[in-house]
Amino acid sequence: MMKRIIVVLVLFAIMATYSSCSVTLNGASIPAEMSTVDVEYFDNNALFVVNNLSQNFTEALKQRIRSQSRLSIVRTPEADAVFSGAIIAYNIAPVSVQATGNGNTPPIANASRLTITVKVKYKPNNSKKGLEHAEGYEQEFTKTADYTGDIGSQEQALILNITKQLTEDIFNKAFADWK
């Protein structure tokens, strides 16, 4: 019995030791030679245009890079990497329908979904020493958020939530090397 207690205590000690260790992925796959990045303005090319969406998205991507990496944001063709692209879709569609109870009135949307799609091109400056083999990408990223009621009072909060998810995916694709 005493032997089992000792084994259990040793196992707990080992687990406590390993659980106190932490690993951070921030900047894990950024080449040491890379120190600057240019984030170009993301135009809103969607059919439905929200006034501040381009500005807010561009600034959110810059902020994600500043807070999650050691990279400096610069506006120069000499940057070690460049993010460019556009917001290509901003859609609102019903996701559930509610009957109105009257045969003459069509059903109404009970819940709706806001979808934002961004086309992103990430291009490392392969002419710089140490970045010759750095990989870039060109990809579309889409995120959604469901809501009920009128979009007007919720739109900016929904956009903020979706933008946070989009910038996380874009950053991870470029720097966290998640395949």
Side-chain angles (χ1 to χ4, degrees):
M1 181 67 168
M2 186 63 147
K3 200 175 202 179
R4 285 186 181 172
I5 292 173
I6 291 173
V7 170
V8 170
L9 288 175
V10 169
L11 287 175
F12 277 123
I14 291 171
M15 289 187 333
T17 302
Y18 283 112
S19 66
S20 66
C21 297
S22 66
V23 177
T24 180
L25 295 176
N26 293 346
S29 296
I30 299 173
E33 298 79 13
M34 186 179 288
S35 62
T36 60
V37 66
D38 180 6
V39 178
E40 295 180 356
Y41 187 76
F42 280 72
D43 286 323
N44 190 343
N45 296 334
L47 293 177
F48 184 75
V49 176
V50 175
N51 290 338
N52 60 355
L53 183 58
S54 290
Q55 180 69 30
N56 289 349
F57 178 81
T58 303
E59 289 305 315
L61 182 56
K62 288 179 183 180
Q63 183 56 37
R64 169 79 59 183
I65 293 167
R66 280 188 204 104
S67 67
Q68 300 288 315
S69 74
R70 59 176 166 67
L71 298 174
S72 298
I73 307 292
V74 295
R75 291 288 300 155
T76 174
E78 299 301 315
D80 296 328
V82 177
F83 282 96
S84 60
I87 299 162
I88 60 172
Y90 183 98
N91 300 313
I92 298 172
V95 290
S96 69
V97 179
Q98 174 183 350
T100 56
N102 167 337
N104 296 332
T105 308
I108 59 172
N110 188 33
S112 298
R113 176 171 292 152
L114 172 60
T115 303
I116 300 176
T117 302
V118 181
K119 184 171 187 175
V120 178
K121 183 175 183 180
Y122 167 68
K123 186 174 186 308
N125 188 344
N126 296 116
S127 65
K128 292 217 170 183
K129 183 177 167 100
L131 300 176
E132 300 91 351
H133 303 292
E135 292 185 31
Y137 67 84
E138 189 166 348
Q139 180 178 331
E140 291 181 8
F141 294 87
T142 300
K143 289 295 178 187
T144 63
D146 293 348
Y147 66 94
T148 57
D150 181 40
I151 182 85
S153 63
Q154 305 172 66
E155 188 171 31
Q156 290 304 313
L158 292 166
I159 290 172
L160 184 64
N161 182 10
I162 292 172
T163 298
K164 182 178 177 181
Q165 294 173 44
L166 286 167
T167 59
E168 182 176 344
D169 287 353
I170 293 164
F171 180 89
N172 287 341
K173 176 73 175 174
F175 301 124
D177 200 25
W178 292 0
K179 307 254 188 231

